[in-house]
Amino acid sequence: MRYRSQSVAYWYFAVAMVLFGLQLVFGLLSAAKYLGPDPLLYILPFDVTKVIHTNLLIVWVLTGFMGATYWMVPDESRTELYSVRLAYVQLVLWTLMGVTAVVGYLFRYGTGNKLLEQPLPHKIVIVICMLLFLYNIGTTIWKSKRFTTTEGVLMLGLGLAAVLYLPALLEYENYTVAIFYRWWTIHLWVEGVWEMIQGGFLAYLLIRLSGADREVMEKWLYVIVGLVFIAGILGTAHHYYWVGVPAYWLPIGGIFSALEPLALVGMAIYAYSAMRRSGMSHPNTLALHWTLGSAVFTLFGAGLLGLAHTFPDVNKWTHGTLITAMHGHAAFYGAYAMITLAMISFALPAMTPGRSEQGSSIGYWSFWLQIGGMFGMTLSFATAGIAQVYLERILGMGYLDAQLKIQVHFVMLVITGSIFTIGVGLFIYDFFRHAPRFEVDDGQKPGLRPVVTPAPA
Ligand code: HEM
Ligand code: HEM
Ligand SMILES: [Fe+2]
């Protein structure tokens, strides 16, 4: 650790780990309900377990993003954080918001707007936390007078993520209007500004891990971010096919969203070629697995599986089915869970002495069990979704009758989900098994590093 204040990242990561574990409990519960009979039907019905599952996902991933930013910005700007105290105040407020939101959902206290179910008071706390966070990070960078492109892309992504949350504060009576604006937050988050956040972390990790040339890496980062924007903004229209808006959105959505995977192909090539050309200058190969894994899994889950149902002619059959869940899992996991786990794996050895820099065998087991489990879950949702579309939408079978026919795929989901959960359990165990100790390693500070002169030939 180069700067003492980077230690706040550890506590953000710790909270993220706990919430990640809890998210999976509610995922498995939601999956088990498809198999019935459901002894918890009147206490914890499916809609409650699902809303808790997806909200915990958003909260833990954002907690991870914040922790990773508190780690990365001092490193990039070569300075201590502006205010450690503010970062802790923000973490406490944020965690309280998350926990009370989940408790509220148990008592049906929520707005019912998918993924944005947080009640208004919670939404206001979210905005306050984001403002505290951006102020702290912004002042740190401003005072340091050192602002890298990588950091710029990350900051732009985080700032715009906060701005795009604002439409979610409003409620609309009209369902079409509500749905129309809901995507300004959800779509423009996951297929726009969060990809900038992922891009910022990816560039940081690749520069550190592979020793790739910063100038080259940052130039390509611009290109990728540009591509995301060109396609992603109008690509929002791939959610406007059947929501009661004019038909001209159909070709716009089809064409622009079909261009979105281009940026993701670019990102995967970017990561792979940085490794090929520059090799490994850093011993942390576990973090490298997560970094490259994130770029590749995003291409699969978001690029390929997103493209699979983005054209209006396909989407009219698959909209709102388990095909959506197939893509939602693989994309969210690859892009945002994996990049967060990459940042954690990279930062952790410096904050928990006693851990090997290369990562332990538990760490690699965790990686492969998660990859295998998530791949299996994606296939389970895919096979269930294809059968569902055929039975329900082509043959016209009733929803519940079709669900009975596809139960076998949910057995597979529970099995593969359990494999995935073991992988996550190992990650969490590996995270907590070494106690944190925050020692500043001055030798690594630029300028203080001993100059090594090559030995005469
Ligand atoms: C990392 C990037 C991405 C993430 C995390 C992501 C995640 C999701 C999630 C969670 C949903 C369900 C949303 C809801 O119903 O509330 C969804 C829907 C959808 N996504 Fe993505 N996605 C990503 C990228 C893409 C890309 C690149 C494409 C197209 C090429 C795409 C195409 C779609 C389509 C067409 C739907 C609507 C499905 C329906 O009609 O039910 N996604 N995505
Ligand atoms: C043990 C592992 C998991 C299991 C068993 C599981 C199961 C489920 C189930 C059954 C649903 C409801 C699908 C429906 O509406 O019919 C769901 C929704 C969802 N889960 Fe998971 N999940 C798991 C882990 C994850 C992870 C790791 C992520 C992301 C990184 C994730 C993201 C989502 C999203 C975005 C939705 C909403 C999808 C949509 O509405 O189409 N889940 N999950
Ligand atoms: Fe989208």
Side-chain angles (χ1 to χ4, degrees):
M1 208 167 68
R2 293 182 190 181
Y3 300 94
R4 184 163 301 283
S5 53
Q6 282 179 300
S7 59
V8 293
Y10 179 86
W11 304 107
Y12 277 79
F13 292 153
V15 171
M17 287 293 95
V18 174
L19 299 181
F20 188 13
L22 214 55
Q23 184 218 345
L24 300 191
V25 173
F26 285 90
L28 282 171
L29 260 176
S30 308
K33 283 166 190 295
Y34 272 95
L35 296 172
D38 181 3
L40 298 176
L41 187 60
Y42 297 104
I43 311 163
L44 271 179
F46 177 79
D47 59 321
V48 174
T49 55
K50 180 176 168 179
V51 75
I52 296 179
H53 175 59
T54 51
N55 274 251
L56 280 172
L57 164 68
I58 295 181
V59 176
W60 88 253
V61 164
L62 284 173
T63 315
F65 283 176
M66 289 168 182
T69 308
Y70 281 134
W71 173 268
M72 179 181 134
V73 164
D75 231 7
E76 288 284 290
S77 282
R78 297 184 189 166
T79 182
E80 294 288 355
L81 275 181
Y82 166 65
S83 170
V84 171
R85 183 195 294 246
L86 204 60
Y88 284 127
V89 169
Q90 181 212 328
L91 178 62
V92 171
L93 210 60
W94 177 257
T95 310
L96 281 177
M97 179 285 299
V99 171
T100 52
V102 167
V103 174
Y105 296 142
L106 294 174
F107 298 98
R108 320 292 188 273
Y109 179 51
T111 63
N113 200 7
K114 190 176 163 194
L115 299 175
L116 299 171
E117 291 93 347
Q118 310 84 45
L120 191 61
H122 290 76
K123 284 188 170 139
I124 292 171
V125 175
I126 292 175
V127 173
I128 294 172
C129 285
M130 283 309 284
L131 289 176
L132 289 180
F133 172 64
L134 292 170
Y135 172 72
N136 205 353
I137 292 294
T139 315
T140 305
I141 295 174
W142 185 67
K143 288 200 154 191
S144 79
K145 306 205 171 38
R146 189 184 138 88
F147 191 36
T148 65
T149 301
T150 305
E151 219 171 25
V153 169
L154 175 69
M155 282 303 288
L156 201 60
L158 291 165
L160 288 174
V163 171
L164 286 168
Y165 189 66
L166 298 180
L169 292 176
L170 305 172
E171 281 187 40
Y172 302 93
E173 284 288 309
N174 183 302
Y175 189 64
T176 298
V177 178
I179 283 283
F180 188 86
Y181 290 119
R182 187 174 89 89
W183 293 114
W184 285 24
T185 305
I186 300 301
H187 169 95
L188 291 177
W189 262 3
V190 301
E191 286 159 75
V193 298
W194 284 28
E195 275 178 27
M196 297 171 74
I197 300 173
Q198 185 197 13
F201 290 144
L202 195 68
Y204 168 80
L205 286 165
L206 289 172
I207 292 167
R208 304 280 151 159
L209 288 170
S210 76
D213 184 52
R214 181 182 280 273
E215 255 179 51
V216 177
M217 296 306 286
E218 293 189 332
K219 191 176 73 197
W220 283 106
L221 188 60
Y222 275 130
V223 175
I224 290 168
V225 167
L227 280 173
V228 166
F229 257 82
I230 295 167
I233 294 178
L234 282 173
T236 315
H238 68 174
H239 301 288
Y240 290 168
Y241 298 154
W242 332 113
V243 298
V245 296
Y248 56 72
W249 286 113
L250 269 77
I252 297 178
I255 293 165
F256 283 92
S257 66
L259 293 174
E260 282 181 48
L262 268 183
L264 306 177
V265 173
M267 210 187 276
I269 296 177
Y270 177 69
Y272 182 69
S273 62
M275 282 319 306
R276 275 297 303 266
R277 261 191 281 122
S278 310
M280 262 315 266
S281 70
H282 197 284
N284 195 337
T285 41
L286 183 60
L288 181 75
H289 275 63
W290 285 110
T291 307
L292 279 183
S294 173
V296 174
F297 217 98
T298 306
L299 180 57
F300 163 66
L304 188 68
L305 299 183
L307 190 68
H309 62 155
T310 206
F311 291 110
D313 279 347
V314 178
N315 194 264
K316 75 175 172 194
W317 300 104
T318 59
H319 174 64
T321 61
L322 292 161
I323 294 290
T324 307
M326 156 200 84
H327 154 69
H329 279 83
F332 231 112
Y333 178 68
Y336 306 124
M338 288 184 80
I339 199 70
T340 306
L341 301 182
M343 285 297 289
I344 294 177
S345 303
F346 178 73
L348 215 52
M351 297 192 281
T352 49
R355 183 186 297 277
S356 110
E357 185 86 64
Q358 286 86 350
S360 61
S361 63
I362 297 179
Y364 290 97
W365 271 102
S366 161
F367 176 82
W368 288 111
L369 285 171
Q370 285 189 49
I371 295 283
M374 183 46 81
F375 190 67
M377 285 168 58
T378 307
L379 290 185
S380 312
F381 275 124
T383 44
I386 293 166
Q388 182 193 11
V389 169
Y390 184 72
L391 294 173
E392 211 183 294
R393 306 228 163 140
I394 296 179
L395 297 187
M397 189 182 275
Y399 175 81
L400 286 176
D401 289 331
Q403 292 300 321
L404 273 182
K405 299 261 184 245
I406 61 175
Q407 266 187 342
V408 61
H409 303 294
F410 281 89
V411 176
M412 189 169 145
L413 178 68
V414 171
I415 296 170
T416 50
S418 303
I419 295 173
F420 178 78
T421 305
I422 296 171
V424 174
L426 288 179
F427 194 98
I428 297 174
Y429 169 68
D430 200 29
F431 182 96
F432 285 110
R433 85 194 161 107
H434 295 280
R437 210 169 65 229
F438 306 116
E439 286 163 4
V440 176
D441 182 0
D442 272 346
Q444 283 187 19
K445 267 188 196 167
L448 296 176
R449 198 174 294 158
V451 180
V452 181
T453 33

